Amino acid sequence: MNLREKYGIPSNAVITIAGTVGVGKSTMTKALANALNFRTSFEKVDTNPYLDKFYDDFNKWSFHLQIYFLAERFKEQKRIFEYGGGFIQDRSIYEDTGIFAKMHYDQGTMDPVDFETYTNLFDAMVMTPYFPHPDLLIYLEGPIDDIIERIESRGRPMEQQTDKEYWYEMHRRYEDWIDNFNACPVLRLDINDYDLMKNPQTIETILERIGHFMEQTSHLRR
Ligand SMILES: Nc1ncnc2c1ncn2[C@@H]1O[C@H](COP(=O)(O)OP(=O)(O)O)[C@@H](O)[C@H]1O
Ligand SMILES: Nc1ncnc2c1ncn2[C@H]1C[C@H](O)[C@@H](COP(=O)(O)O)O1
C-alpha cells in the first residue's frame, strides 16, 4: 500500500499550500507531491517578467504584476482541472487578492482604479460557482523573524533588498486573512512543529494529519 492509500488521501485531491513569502511553501509542495505521487503547480519566479521591476517600483508595476499572476494561476487552475486533480499547488489564487493586491492598494502603491479593475476581474473569474476550489488549503505559519531569516538565506536579491517592514506587514495581514478565510477547509501547520530539511521523514506525520483532516471535512467538499 502506498502512502496516499495508507492515509486515505483521495487520488484526485487538490491541495493548495498557503503562507507568507519564505515560510516554506515550495519545500512543502515538493515533499508532499513526492510522498503522494501527485503533480505540482509552482509559481514560476525566474521567468516572471514583472517581479524584479515590481520590487524596484511598486507604484509603477503593481497592476501589471497582479494581472500577470492572475493569468498564470488561472491557466494552472485549468491544467489541474483537465488532469482531474491529484495536485499540490504552491500558493493559492486567493492570496493574490486577499493579501498582495489589497496590501498595495491600502498602502497607496496600487492605484484605486487599477485595484477596482483588478478586483472586478478576479471576482468574475474566481468568485463564481464554476470555479473549482481546492479540497484543502494547508496554511504554513511561524514567527516572522524566522521567516525573514529564510528569505535572507534563500538569496533572491529583490527580496533581500526589500525593507523588512514589508515582510512584517505581510505577516500581520496573513494572520487576519486566514482567520477569516472560508473558501475551503484549512489545516494549519506551524513551521516549528516539523522540519523537512533536517528530518524528511516527518512528511509522514503531516500526511497522517492531512488524511485525518480530509476525512473529518469530507462532507464540505465538492
Ligand atoms: N524546515 C526548514 N528549515 C529551514 N529552512 C527551510 C525549511 N523549509 C524551507 N526552508 C528554506 O527556507 C527558504 C524558503 O523556503 P521556500 O520553500 O522557498 O518558501 P516559500 O515557497 O514559502 O517562499 C528556502 O531557502 C528553503 O530552503
Ligand atoms: N500576487 C502577488 N503580488 C505580489 N507579489 C507576489 C504575488 N504572488 C507572489 N508574489 C511574490 C512574492 C515573492 O517575492 C515571489 C514568490 O513568492 P513565494 O512566497 O516565495 O513563493 O512572488
Side-chain angles (χ1 to χ4, degrees):
M1 191 193 282
N2 61 35
L3 288 174
R4 186 188 61 70
E5 288 163 346
K6 179 173 175 189
Y7 293 110
I9 299 167
S11 60
N12 65 349
V14 176
I15 300 176
T16 190
I17 315 294
T20 198
V21 176
V23 71
K25 297 180 298 298
S26 305
T27 310
M28 177 65 78
T29 299
K30 282 180 214 141
L32 281 178
N34 186 42
L36 292 171
N37 202 17
F38 273 17
R39 290 190 167 83
T40 51
S41 169
F42 281 109
E43 284 184 313
K44 294 180 207 85
V45 170
D46 298 342
T47 53
N48 185 317
Y50 293 109
L51 203 54
D52 265 318
K53 292 179 180 168
F54 163 77
Y55 276 104
D56 252 9
D57 187 343
F58 287 152
N59 284 292
K60 188 164 176 193
W61 297 105
S62 276
F63 183 66
H64 305 71
L65 180 69
Q66 293 313 326
I67 296 295
Y68 179 83
F69 268 122
L70 184 56
E72 287 299 300
R73 291 205 219 279
F74 207 77
K75 278 192 276 180
E76 282 299 287
Q77 205 70 34
K78 188 164 157 267
R79 187 167 74 93
I80 293 170
F81 183 74
E82 283 166 357
Y83 272 113
F87 266 84
I88 310 291
Q89 190 179 26
D90 179 8
R91 174 159 281 130
S92 69
I93 201 164
Y94 315 107
E95 292 157 82
D96 291 326
T97 175
I99 300 288
F100 291 95
K102 177 129 188 4
M103 173 166 146
H104 283 278
Y105 163 68
D106 287 345
Q107 296 193 331
T109 46
M110 188 168 186
D111 176 84
V113 178
D114 288 348
F115 179 68
E116 201 187 333
T117 304
Y118 169 76
T119 308
N120 283 335
L121 183 60
F122 182 93
D123 288 350
M125 289 168 81
V126 177
M127 303 319 272
T128 78
Y130 314 108
F131 183 85
H133 296 284
D135 297 299
L136 174 67
L137 182 143
I138 299 183
Y139 179 68
L140 304 184
E141 59 193 337
I144 182 60
D145 291 323
D146 295 353
I147 296 169
I148 290 178
E149 269 179 36
R150 290 186 181 189
I151 293 175
E152 298 288 346
S153 67
R154 177 168 58 188
R156 291 180 189 149
M158 58 189 170
E159 294 172 353
Q160 290 172 317
Q161 285 152 20
T162 296
D163 192 330
K164 287 197 176 47
E165 185 45 42
Y166 185 75
W167 309 123
Y168 282 111
E169 174 64 18
M170 191 179 288
H171 190 256
R172 282 192 286 271
R173 283 175 179 259
Y174 260 103
E175 288 177 352
D176 292 343
W177 172 79
I178 198 64
D179 285 343
N180 294 298
F181 179 83
N182 59 11
C184 70
V186 176
L187 173 64
R188 296 169 82 129
L189 294 182
D190 191 309
I191 60 170
N192 288 318
D193 292 343
Y194 68 89
D195 191 336
L196 294 173
M197 313 281 279
K198 286 203 191 103
N199 211 355
Q201 65 271 27
T202 52
I203 197 68
E204 230 180 298
T205 322
I206 295 171
L207 290 179
E208 192 179 357
R209 286 190 62 186
I210 294 173
H212 185 62
F213 187 80
M214 288 190 86
E215 195 192 336
Q216 281 180 328
T217 55
S218 58
H219 60 287
L220 300 173
R221 287 198 295 279
R222 38 187 167 112

